[in-house]
Amino acid sequence: MNTLQEKVSILLIYTGGTIGMIENSETGVLESFNFEHLKDNMPELKKLGYIIDSLQFDPPMDSSEMGPESWKKLVRIISENYQRYDGFVILHGTDTMSFTASALSFMLENLSKPVILTGSQLPIGMLRTDGKENLITAIEIAAAKENGMPVVPEVCIFFENSLLRGNRTRKINADNFNAFRSYNYPALAHAGIYIKYDTTQIYHPVLRKPLKAHYLLDRNIAILKLFPGISQQVVESILNIPGLKGVVMETFGSGNAPSYEWLLKMLKEAVGRGIVIVNVSQCIAGSVEMLRYETGHKLLEAGVISGYDSTTESAVAKLMFLFGHGLSPEEVIEHMNCSLIGEITIPENFQHK
């Protein structure tokens, strides 16, 4: 347990999003919440006994506007303040939170402190808001230590009682408080009367090295979502985007696609031009197994690589990160076949040779 004497310090970073809204008492209009006055509006935070400083994006950003530049800004804030704080809580709109969490997990190499993203489905100023509970618990998790060491030294999302590995999440509901799921990896903690951590699932670095912040990202990535009856023109237009380097191809089931001769030919030609094509499933749970069915095997023969149980969000961020660092297509493929920070599970019998 943390004690008041330890003066655990948390940096709260407000990027924007629903959680940062409060109702104007005169007009009834929802307005951005000034987090400089956070403790005045949320007296519950004083009871935690932590030092809580806040920093706000100016202007606050809707999550649909968040992207590589915003991710770099967050990495810079965390890097510059890394020695001053025990943990970081990022308040973020829900729509792209999984993309941001995935990107930060790759960009913050050797992270050994908690970076917890949270938000809400209702503004913090509304009576039934889920924002206060999410924020308070996220701060508690960011501050949690055992034997002087952070309990959760990784990038996570906390939402509606569940702490999830950030690069394993996806938003699955636009209306319910329980908006996020991690279907292919267990929750790291559940918050009830007590916060119960599953320490066996939490990522712990083998060696404690200094934080290495990365800012290089390549946006020449596309998503190709297959659907029954997809036309040759659609695939051709995506695979021939000027400067394209990587494609996340969302396939059916365990990694299957129609065996159209033109499709396989286009994929093979794209791979031959150095484009890395990663096969991820459109299913919300499960893993790509390209040797399971003939259709998947044909994709493998065309040079498409498995994304295993990766989410689309994580695969996009990983490709941006790897190509951003100037890696060759062969090197990118090698890294895509490895779990860099717990983002995929590779069965032993599917290890890349």
Side-chain angles (χ1 to χ4, degrees):
M1 293 291 292
N2 297 306
T3 63
L4 186 60
Q5 287 74 21
E6 288 178 313
K7 293 184 179 179
V8 173
S9 57
I10 301 297
L11 179 60
L12 186 61
I13 307 166
Y14 173 56
T15 66
T18 302
I19 192 170
M21 300 291 179
I22 195 164
E23 188 174 356
N24 185 308
S25 57
E26 295 180 2
T27 65
V29 174
L30 293 174
E31 300 174 346
S32 290
F33 184 77
N34 187 339
F35 274 79
E36 291 299 317
H37 305 295
L38 179 66
K39 290 182 182 178
D40 294 333
N41 287 272
M42 282 189 65
E44 300 94 331
L45 294 182
K46 295 178 182 178
K47 296 179 181 179
L48 292 173
Y50 309 137
I51 297 170
I52 302 174
D53 294 331
S54 61
L55 190 152
Q56 186 169 332
F57 274 27
D58 185 21
M61 297 178 66
D62 185 274
S63 68
S64 61
E65 305 286 350
M66 297 288 285
E69 294 307 313
S70 311
W71 304 339
K72 294 175 191 178
K73 186 174 181 179
L74 284 169
V75 168
R76 188 165 283 109
I77 290 169
I78 292 169
S79 178
E80 291 175 352
N81 291 279
Y82 196 66
Q83 299 304 323
R84 295 178 55 201
Y85 296 95
D86 297 288
F88 302 86
V89 173
I90 299 172
L91 300 179
H92 193 292
T94 57
D95 287 348
T96 60
M97 190 185 291
S98 290
F99 282 99
T100 297
S102 295
L104 294 183
S105 74
F106 300 119
M107 297 168 76
L108 294 167
E109 186 178 351
N110 301 327
L111 181 69
S112 60
K113 295 183 179 183
V115 175
I116 313 299
L117 287 87
T118 194
S120 67
Q121 296 285 63
L122 283 176
I124 207 165
M126 295 186 70
L127 188 62
R128 293 183 57 249
T129 184
D130 53 330
K132 286 190 176 183
E133 191 68 36
N134 285 348
L135 175 56
I136 289 169
T137 309
I139 291 172
E140 283 196 88
I141 291 169
K145 292 187 179 183
E146 188 170 335
N147 300 321
M149 302 294 289
V151 175
V152 189
E154 60 171 296
V155 179
C156 300
I157 288 178
F158 178 79
F159 224 86
E160 179 67 2
N161 304 326
S162 293
L163 181 70
L164 310 172
R165 174 167 295 162
N167 57 32
R168 292 286 194 154
T169 62
R170 61 191 347 169
K171 184 178 180 181
I172 52 93
N173 200 301
D175 299 322
N176 291 350
F177 287 150
N178 198 350
F180 289 87
R181 286 283 200 286
S182 169
Y183 285 99
N184 288 329
Y185 197 80
L188 307 184
H190 292 283
I193 297 175
Y194 305 103
I195 302 174
K196 295 183 179 179
Y197 296 95
D198 187 345
T199 54
T200 61
Q201 304 298 341
I202 296 171
Y203 187 90
H204 290 281
V206 178
L207 298 172
R208 286 179 61 85
K209 299 179 182 178
L211 179 73
K212 186 175 182 181
H214 294 279
Y215 302 97
L216 301 174
L217 296 166
D218 194 319
R219 299 169 66 166
N220 290 298
I221 307 300
I223 296 173
L224 171 58
K225 187 183 183 77
L226 300 183
F227 57 89
I230 190 169
S231 71
Q232 187 170 339
Q233 290 81 5
V234 168
V235 177
E236 187 175 30
S237 64
I238 292 176
L239 295 181
N240 286 283
I241 294 171
L244 183 67
K245 294 183 179 177
V247 174
V248 177
M249 186 169 68
E250 294 188 347
T251 57
F252 310 126
S254 56
N256 302 310
S259 299
Y260 303 143
E261 188 175 328
W262 60 262
L263 175 60
L264 296 171
K265 183 172 181 284
M266 281 185 181
L267 293 173
K268 189 170 184 177
E269 288 175 351
V271 171
R273 298 196 303 271
I275 296 174
V276 176
I277 304 177
V278 183
N279 185 353
V280 301
S281 176
Q282 294 179 19
C283 298
I284 56 176
S287 183
V288 164
E289 297 179 33
M290 293 167 72
L291 295 176
R292 189 171 179 180
Y293 296 101
E294 184 182 1
T295 52
H297 194 270
K298 287 183 177 180
L299 293 178
L300 197 62
E301 290 177 336
V304 175
I305 66 169
S306 177
Y308 302 97
D309 58 352
S310 175
T311 63
T312 294
E313 294 89 336
S314 181
V316 166
K318 190 173 179 180
L319 283 174
M320 284 186 175
F321 175 76
L322 294 173
F323 277 115
H325 286 75
L327 299 185
S328 68
E330 293 75 20
E331 290 170 323
V332 169
I333 289 171
E334 186 177 344
H335 284 80
M336 292 301 293
N337 277 288
C338 298
S339 176
L340 301 183
I341 193 71
E343 73 279 5
I344 54 175
T345 304
I346 304 177
E348 288 183 13
N349 56 326
F350 286 98
Q351 289 289 347
H352 179 63
K353 301 298 182 183

